[in-house]
Amino acid sequence: SQQGEEDPQALSIQEGENATMNCSYKTSINNLQWYRQNSGRGLVHLILIRSNEREKHSGRLRVTLDTSKKSSSLLITASRAADTASYFCGPLPMYSGGGADGLTFGKGTHLIIQP
Amino acid sequence: DGGITQSPKYLFRKEGQNVTLSCEQNLNHDAMYWYRQDPGQGLRLIYYSQIVNDFQKGDIAEGYSVSREKKESFPLTVTSAQKNPTAFYLCASQASRQGIYSNQPQHFGDGTRLSIL
């Protein structure tokens, strides 16, 4: 199954700074989704970028996708303490019509915003 | 409000015991998923279901079983065959895995934390 691998594994920045995290994946995708997980909670969908898109914005979030490099990045601008969480990317593979595919996430990037 | 409800929030299993984790959604979604998350690790897919009365094994299905008798419900049973069941279990749903709906996000519940007594 497709797995996104997030980098770095941990990131600590000061409140107000920008945070950038990256995702790499292995095979052709339909779309790529970014999720946030607060400690002890489920994942919350942040943004979805389709394979034919290169950049997408949502509020303070900016996502880029480079299918030639099989990579994506998530930028959070003007970070806040409430952004402290783990961030996961979920590449959705092209639908194969069978097999155990789905969104399979890597270890995530643990982001800490220092006040 | 529409969403996914997982219960219980915490669950303890004795040796040799089967336990069942509940997942209910009122989003009218066709597809449902079960993931396992170990500390500091990513999510791994256990089982998924695209439609009622149908389900498929994920990457780590051994020691687990599921059923999908109703659209809104996708319970996961952790059997005694699963020797290392301690983990955080997450259920998710999606409008559909097919066609234009594959570009819809997954919605997650708040998880069940399973521990061994």
Side-chain angles (χ1 to χ4, degrees):
Chain A
S1 59
Q2 183 72 275
Q3 182 183 53
E5 290 191 13
E6 299 85 359
D7 175 70
Q9 288 193 26
L11 179 62
S12 179
I13 61 173
Q14 295 295 124
E15 195 167 17
E17 294 181 338
N18 295 343
T20 299
M21 53 206 86
N22 303 296
C23 169
S24 59
Y25 57 92
K26 295 183 175 62
T27 60
S28 296
I29 59 170
N30 183 307
N31 64 60
L32 187 141
Q33 304 175 30
W34 283 91
Y35 289 79
R36 184 188 74 231
Q37 183 181 35
N38 289 90
S39 181
R41 304 294 299 273
L43 275 68
V44 174
H45 179 257
L46 294 175
I47 195 165
L48 180 152
I49 186 165
R50 302 182 183 188
S51 59
N52 61 353
E53 296 176 312
R54 291 296 166 258
E55 188 170 312
K56 200 162 183 180
H57 296 254
S58 177
R60 294 183 297 113
L61 305 180
R62 173 179 167 250
V63 168
T64 62
L65 179 65
D66 187 335
T67 53
S68 67
K69 295 181 179 178
K70 294 185 171 56
S71 67
S72 174
S73 68
L74 171 67
L75 168 68
I76 303 174
T77 61
S79 63
R80 304 168 182 169
D83 295 328
T84 294
S86 292
Y87 292 81
F88 295 88
C89 70
L92 183 69
M94 290 288 189
Y95 182 59
S96 66
D101 58 343
L103 287 179
T104 307
F105 304 88
K107 296 180 181 180
T109 291
H110 185 50
L111 175 64
I112 297 173
I113 308 299
Q114 308 273 10
Chain B
D1 287 338
I4 297 183
T5 302
Q6 290 187 242
S7 63
K9 192 170 178 64
Y10 299 96
L11 185 60
F12 298 91
R13 196 191 88 169
K14 295 179 181 178
E15 292 287 340
Q17 187 181 45
N18 293 353
V19 292
T20 298
L21 284 61
S22 170
C23 178
E24 303 277 330
Q25 53 101 356
N26 60 3
L27 298 166
N28 199 34
H29 284 173
D30 283 324
M32 296 187 75
Y33 306 80
W34 274 106
Y35 295 91
R36 169 180 172 140
Q37 186 177 31
D38 292 283
Q41 302 296 314
L43 279 69
R44 291 183 288 169
L45 185 64
I46 305 173
Y47 268 98
Y48 65 98
S49 168
Q50 297 185 64
I51 199 166
V52 174
N53 293 323
D54 180 68
F55 49 82
Q56 305 294 329
K57 291 182 179 180
D59 297 318
I60 55 165
E62 186 174 348
Y64 300 97
S65 66
V66 293
S67 63
R68 187 85 187 277
E69 296 176 2
K70 298 186 294 183
K71 188 175 185 178
E72 59 270 24
S73 178
F74 191 41
L76 173 74
T77 296
V78 184
T79 74
S80 57
Q82 173 49 247
K83 298 306 179 189
N84 184 24
T86 298
F88 189 49
Y89 291 86
L90 287 164
C91 179
S93 73
Q94 185 183 15
S96 173
R97 288 182 69 249
Q98 299 189 33
I100 59 171
Y101 298 104
S102 65
N103 282 314
Q104 295 296 313
Q106 292 192 7
H107 297 254
F108 284 79
D110 269 342
T112 292
R113 193 167 298 279
L114 176 63
S115 303
I116 298 297
L117 281 177

